[in-house]
Amino acid sequence: MKALNVFLGFILLQACFSFINSQIAHGPGLDLGPIRTDLQNSETQIRNLKRYDYSFCKLYIRDNTTGFEAYTTFHPRVDEFTTLKIPMSNVSIMGNENVVIWMEIPGNKSTTSFYTYNATVDVPKSCTYENGTRLTVTECTDPAVATYNVTEYVMKQGNVTKYGNIVLPPKHVHDLGKNATVNYFTVVVQLANGAITDAVWDGDRINACKDCDQCIDGQCAAKYSDLGCDIGGGCQLKIFMAWAGLDRLKKPCISINKIPSNFAKYSSTSVSKLGLGLLSDFFYRINDNNNNPNRA
Ligand SMILES: *[C@@H]1O[C@H](CO)[C@@H](O)[C@H](O)[C@H]1NC(C)=O
Ligand SMILES: *[C@@H]1O[C@H](CO)[C@@H](O)[C@H](O)[C@H]1NC(C)=O
Ligand SMILES: *[C@@H]1O[C@H](CO)[C@@H](O)[C@H](O)[C@H]1NC(C)=O
Ligand SMILES: *[C@@H]1O[C@H](CO)[C@@H](O)[C@H](O)[C@H]1NC(C)=O
Ligand SMILES: *[C@@H]1O[C@H](CO)[C@@H](O)[C@H](O)[C@H]1NC(C)=O
Ligand SMILES: *[C@@H]1O[C@H](CO)[C@@H](O)[C@H](O)[C@H]1NC(C)=O
Ligand SMILES: *[C@@H]1O[C@H](CO)[C@@H](O)[C@H](O)[C@H]1NC(C)=O
Ligand SMILES: *[C@@H]1O[C@H](CO)[C@@H](O)[C@H](O)[C@H]1NC(C)=O
């Protein structure tokens, strides 16, 4: 039943976009699979849209007791603050300690992994003792030869570098022991002149969790009882997506200033209260010059 609820919540996942005037940059020109050309009006054809450029992302969810795993694709606009809201997540995800979520973002990130291996090296040894006597070693029978090689084994470090999409580490949503829940996740995507070079969970930055009531896998969380999940309203999992770095036109991204951890610097609202019932208030304030469709 839980798995079914997760599934229902998941297929209903909506991507809501905010409409901020910003300079749109091209994404990295990569995607998470082949682009089908036989589909009209499909999200796979999103690149045909002329007005904005999109980047593909995948949001994964796994319930490790039922084995349920699914993903959905979405396409945030570059340098626009995006909120993903997962309806019914109050039931299926928010109080479920077995659920992890993670994201995959197209890019060409290098990941280097290290390994050790047993290597042979030639170690030169002198053909003479300290007292000048020559060794009785076949390599040293020629009096003109000063050294000979001995093969030894040493452990060496090797490395492999792979290029691929950026996969953020899975994060738990609920911690039964703390009775706490992460009710919003923030992903920051790093751009270098319009190309995605990296992405992180906002909470994975150093000390990012220090102002939070609770902390789960490094992300800001709140007491489950504070979220009003029994009432419904404020208790739906949200994922904020913001952009940092320089866009295609070398203009600094502005959406990074709107993530909750930055926003809190300019606000009397504490981080722990953001994303409870106060989210629409939050959006109003960051974006009060237009009719924001977000009511996350
Ligand atoms: C499933 O998640 C729970 C809660 O985090 C954890 O204790 C358990 O080890 C996980 N099991 C597997 C098979 O990953
Ligand atoms: C990713 O970057 C590396 C190093 O710059 C490059 O060799 C490789 O071709 C790139 N891969 C793609 C798919 O762009
Ligand atoms: C390395 O390989 C040699 C030859 O097989 C072996 O004698 C030696 O114990 C190995 N060293 C290590 C650290 O495994
Ligand atoms: C000197 O030479 C002899 C071989 O004639 C050798 O056995 C001995 O170890 C050498 N070394 C020293 C320090 O005497
Ligand atoms: C000893 O090993 C080194 C490095 O492998 C090599 O250049 C040299 O020719 C070797 N010397 C002898 C005497 O085999
Ligand atoms: C990775 O291995 C190469 C040789 O294969 C070496 O030149 C390079 O320095 C290594 N990189 C790191 C970070 O260790
Ligand atoms: C967690 O909080 C809920 C709501 O306040 C409460 O009903 C439940 O008993 C708590 N669970 C634990 C393990 O403390
Ligand atoms: C979950 O939220 C929905 C609104 O999205 C609400 O109708 C429902 O009653 C809530 N369920 C629980 C168990 O809180």
Side-chain angles (χ1 to χ4, degrees), residues 132-153:
T133 317
R134 287 187 70 80
L135 272 60
T136 51
V137 172
T138 31
E139 289 89 340
C140 295
T141 42
D142 181 349
V145 174
T147 61
Y148 72 104
N149 281 338
V150 173
T151 300
E152 290 182 1
Y153 294 95

Side-chain angles (χ1 to χ4, degrees), residues 2-288:
K2 237 176 193 177
L4 181 66
N5 281 335
V6 172
F7 183 67
L8 283 175
F10 211 64
I11 54 171
L12 284 170
L13 184 140
Q14 303 162 343
C16 316
F17 301 104
S18 61
F19 295 88
I20 304 161
N21 292 328
S22 65
Q23 182 56 59
I24 305 303
H26 278 288
L30 300 173
D31 57 73
L32 296 166
I35 301 240
R36 291 180 61 181
T37 51
D38 56 325
L39 299 173
Q40 298 296 322
N41 300 322
S42 157
E43 63 182 15
T44 56
Q45 290 299 298
I46 206 87
R47 283 201 198 167
N48 291 340
L49 297 175
K50 292 286 185 277
R51 187 159 170 223
Y52 295 105
D53 293 317
Y54 291 80
S55 180
F56 287 86
C57 297
K58 279 183 181 174
L59 173 65
Y60 290 83
I61 190 163
R62 186 176 64 221
D63 182 326
N64 77 359
T65 50
T66 60
F68 173 81
E69 183 173 320
Y71 69 82
T72 186
T73 55
F74 62 100
H75 11 75
R77 288 173 180 145
V78 175
D79 201 22
E80 294 199 356
F81 192 80
T82 302
T83 307
L84 294 165
K85 187 169 71 173
I86 306 177
M88 295 304 287
S89 51
N90 56 344
V91 187
S92 52
I93 299 174
M94 302 293 279
N96 187 342
E97 76 280 8
N98 301 307
V99 166
V100 288
I101 66 161
W102 69 98
M103 299 260 288
E104 182 176 0
I105 293 160
N108 188 19
K109 189 186 180 181
S110 68
T111 313
T112 301
S113 51
F114 296 92
Y115 60 93
T116 53
Y117 63 99
N118 191 350
T120 58
V121 285
D122 287 329
V123 181
K125 303 276 184 188
S126 172
C127 270
T128 53
Y129 290 113
E130 279 173 13
N131 60 16
T133 317
R134 287 187 70 80
L135 272 60
T136 51
V137 172
T138 31
E139 289 89 340
C140 295
T141 42
D142 181 349
V145 174
T147 61
Y148 72 104
N149 281 338
V150 173
T151 300
E152 290 182 1
Y153 294 95
V154 291
M155 296 310 287
K156 281 193 174 174
Q157 194 177 61
N159 64 71
V160 242
T161 300
K162 287 186 187 157
Y163 293 91
N165 290 328
I166 300 157
V167 181
L168 300 188
K171 298 292 178 187
H172 286 92
V173 177
H174 188 74
D175 185 316
L176 205 58
K178 296 174 181 165
N179 211 359
T181 292
V182 181
N183 64 325
Y184 66 89
F185 286 88
T186 308
V187 179
V188 179
V189 180
Q190 185 73 40
L191 290 184
N193 299 333
I196 295 177
T197 55
D198 207 354
V200 288
W201 294 116
D202 189 38
D204 284 358
R205 295 173 305 114
I206 290 164
N207 284 336
C209 222
K210 71 177 191 309
D211 294 328
C212 307
D213 281 4
Q214 301 282 325
C215 203
I216 299 175
D217 292 351
Q219 314 304 304
C220 254
K223 281 280 179 206
Y224 190 72
S225 51
D226 288 347
L227 297 177
C229 289
D230 300 336
I231 308 155
C235 194
Q236 286 182 349
L237 183 63
K238 294 140 210 122
I239 297 170
F240 300 147
M241 206 152 165
W243 304 78
L246 299 180
D247 72 10
R248 184 171 52 101
L249 303 175
K250 298 187 168 45
K251 200 174 152 223
C253 292
I254 54 168
S255 53
I256 181 66
N257 299 317
K258 294 166 185 150
I259 62 176
S261 56
N262 278 341
F263 177 71
K265 282 191 272 192
Y266 311 108
S267 165
S268 57
T269 308
S270 72
V271 168
S272 65
K273 292 285 183 272
L274 289 173
L276 300 185
L278 296 167
L279 215 63
S280 48
D281 180 40
F282 167 64
F283 277 111
Y284 252 128
R285 288 201 250 167
I286 61 169
N287 203 11
D288 57 4

